[in-house]
Amino acid sequence: MLTLLDLFSGCGGLTLGSKMAGFVTELAVDIDPILSSSFGANFPATPFLAADVASLNSARLKALLPNGVSGVVGGPPCQAFSGMGKGLADDPRRSLLGEFFRIVSTVKPAFFLMENVPGLVFPNNRPVLDAAINSLGSSWEIIGPIILDASDFGAPTKRRRVFVFGFDKRKMRVPTLNDLVESDAYRVSVEDAIKDLTVASAVAGATDLWRYGSDSVVSPYAQKMRSSSGQFTGHQLTEHKPSTLERFALVPQGGVDPVGKYKRLSWAGLCPTLRAGTGSDRGSYQAVRPLHPVENRVITPRECARLQGFPDDFIFHSTVWHSCRMIGNSVSPIIAEALLRNIRNFLKGPSDNEML
């Protein structure tokens, strides 16, 4: 059985992607009670630890993972490295990058996968990454950092992120970069992703419960995302002021509202990177959501989730704000699945199908 330790799991984007790729998460860890609040609902069989990863010393990790794991995955908090934020050198979250690599050294998996924002490789941040990588032993073969876009792997969002991969040469065959990024995914548009939701209707008498409409054209992507029950949550429509609606009506597909900087999605295009905003500890700033291609409103959490690659039966927070924070902070399950499937191929022996 191929097993993982998922650090900074949030709502579970990497957890879902790894599950679809055939891995079992032995333990997920996150300290944020809001961003991880729905984790148990989505992964009831996965052990979850609400803790600061800095508290995971060798003895505690051994007790939590007595049989070790095949891999360690995670996306350390990115705000300290983001080009969108202040990127302060004294931001305590910068140290969490080193904690990820410390835990890799302690747990000794066969591989690791780390995701972060492109700002991590900016000149002022790169030394932090290099120092963390250099803390690993000589048995590790490192690939990256490399910037990958989720849209190249079948997600309908233009989401560029830095990935770093590491492989213990003593425990598995080492893939090449081409092996890791191989994908036969087709390009998925905004229309493919969310157009069928325009005819969804609220379930009478229920709170935040929706059912699919009788749309005769449902794309293969949307069909894959739909829940088997025919119902879903998280599709609350935002009510805007009349003056705001008038302003939105003037924004064409692909255009930008000059006042609020809302980008109007294009049916034929990709969704721009969905941002997370901040929690109450950082000022409670809400990230600007894109405008729907034809309706004069921002997109709903469920539409955000579809565009990020989450299926309709995935549960988020009961509020719009925190649901969108969860999605904006997550790794797209689609790119996670693709990368981990490619890694899985190298966890097999060179001449047979036996897992190492």
Side-chain angles (χ1 to χ4, degrees):
M1 182 171 65
L2 297 177
T3 57
L4 294 178
L5 168 60
D6 188 343
L7 300 173
F8 315 101
S9 62
C11 69
L14 265 172
T15 318
L16 179 60
S18 64
K19 181 179 179 180
M20 295 188 295
F23 288 83
V24 174
T25 298
E26 287 288 295
L27 179 67
V29 184
D30 201 291
I31 196 174
D32 193 307
I34 300 290
L35 296 183
S36 62
S37 58
S38 67
F39 188 93
N42 292 301
F43 306 100
T46 300
F48 176 82
L49 177 66
D52 182 350
V53 298
S55 70
L56 300 179
N57 58 28
S58 179
R60 194 174 185 191
L61 286 165
K62 181 63 176 176
L64 290 165
L65 302 167
N67 299 316
V69 288
S70 308
V72 174
V73 300
C78 63
Q79 293 85 352
F81 305 108
S82 175
M84 299 292 290
K86 295 181 179 180
L88 299 176
D90 60 351
D91 190 321
R93 291 172 295 185
R94 293 171 73 90
S95 66
L96 295 174
L97 184 74
E99 293 295 335
F100 177 90
F101 286 91
R102 176 187 65 80
I103 291 173
V104 168
S105 294
T106 301
V107 175
K108 297 179 172 56
F111 75 92
F112 71 80
L113 177 159
M114 192 212 70
E115 180 263 8
N116 216 284
V117 292
L120 182 59
V121 295
F122 290 177
N124 58 317
N125 294 327
R126 182 62 188 264
V128 180
L129 175 61
D130 289 342
I133 292 174
N134 291 337
S135 69
L136 299 175
S138 60
S139 64
W140 286 93
E141 183 76 25
I142 305 299
I143 296 180
I146 180 173
I147 295 178
L148 302 176
D149 191 329
S151 67
D152 292 329
F153 296 83
T157 180
K158 191 77 176 172
R159 190 176 181 88
R160 299 172 70 249
R161 287 293 182 265
V162 164
F163 285 85
V164 179
F165 307 89
F167 305 95
D168 189 329
K169 295 173 287 189
R170 301 167 301 179
K171 297 182 177 181
M172 65 177 289
R173 294 183 295 137
V174 177
T176 65
L177 177 58
N178 287 339
D179 293 325
L180 287 174
V181 302
E182 182 180 356
S183 173
D184 58 1
Y186 59 89
R187 181 58 59 96
V188 178
S189 68
V190 169
E191 181 174 10
D192 294 329
I194 65 171
K195 189 173 185 181
D196 68 305
L197 296 179
T198 60
V199 293
S201 59
V203 175
T207 301
D208 186 27
L209 189 62
W210 303 74
R211 64 165 59 94
Y212 302 115
S214 56
D215 192 335
S216 59
V217 179
V218 180
S219 73
Y221 179 88
Q223 192 64 57
K224 182 180 178 181
M225 292 292 154
R226 285 188 164 198
S227 69
S228 58
S229 68
Q231 298 181 338
F232 58 96
T233 59
H235 198 45
Q236 309 98 310
L237 304 182
T238 298
E239 294 185 10
H240 300 284
K241 295 185 298 185
S243 59
T244 303
L245 293 173
E246 291 176 4
R247 211 175 69 229
F248 285 173
L250 301 175
V251 181
Q253 289 192 30
V256 180
D257 166 44
V259 178
K261 306 304 179 185
Y262 295 89
K263 296 180 180 179
R264 171 84 74 178
L265 296 176
S266 169
W267 279 136
L270 296 166
C271 178
T273 300
L274 295 170
R275 309 288 180 186
T278 66
S280 58
D281 60 325
R282 296 282 169 174
S284 299
Y285 295 109
Q286 295 195 39
V288 174
R289 278 178 279 157
L291 299 179
H292 190 274
V294 295
E295 298 180 11
N296 294 321
R297 60 170 177 83
V298 293
I299 58 176
T300 68
R302 182 53 56 193
E303 288 165 335
C304 290
R306 279 273 191 100
L307 292 163
Q308 188 81 337
F310 287 94
D312 292 348
D313 58 4
F314 201 93
I315 298 169
F316 296 98
H317 198 271
S318 58
T319 68
V320 170
W321 172 34
H322 289 312
S323 290
C324 292
R325 286 184 62 221
M326 284 177 164
I327 296 164
N329 267 305
S330 68
V331 178
S332 168
I334 292 176
I335 189 172
E337 177 187 7
L339 296 174
L340 286 164
R341 279 192 183 278
N342 290 341
I343 290 172
R344 182 179 178 175
N345 292 333
F346 289 83
L347 287 165
K348 298 177 180 179
S351 61
D352 57 45
N353 291 322
E354 182 182 355
M355 296 297 179
L356 296 178

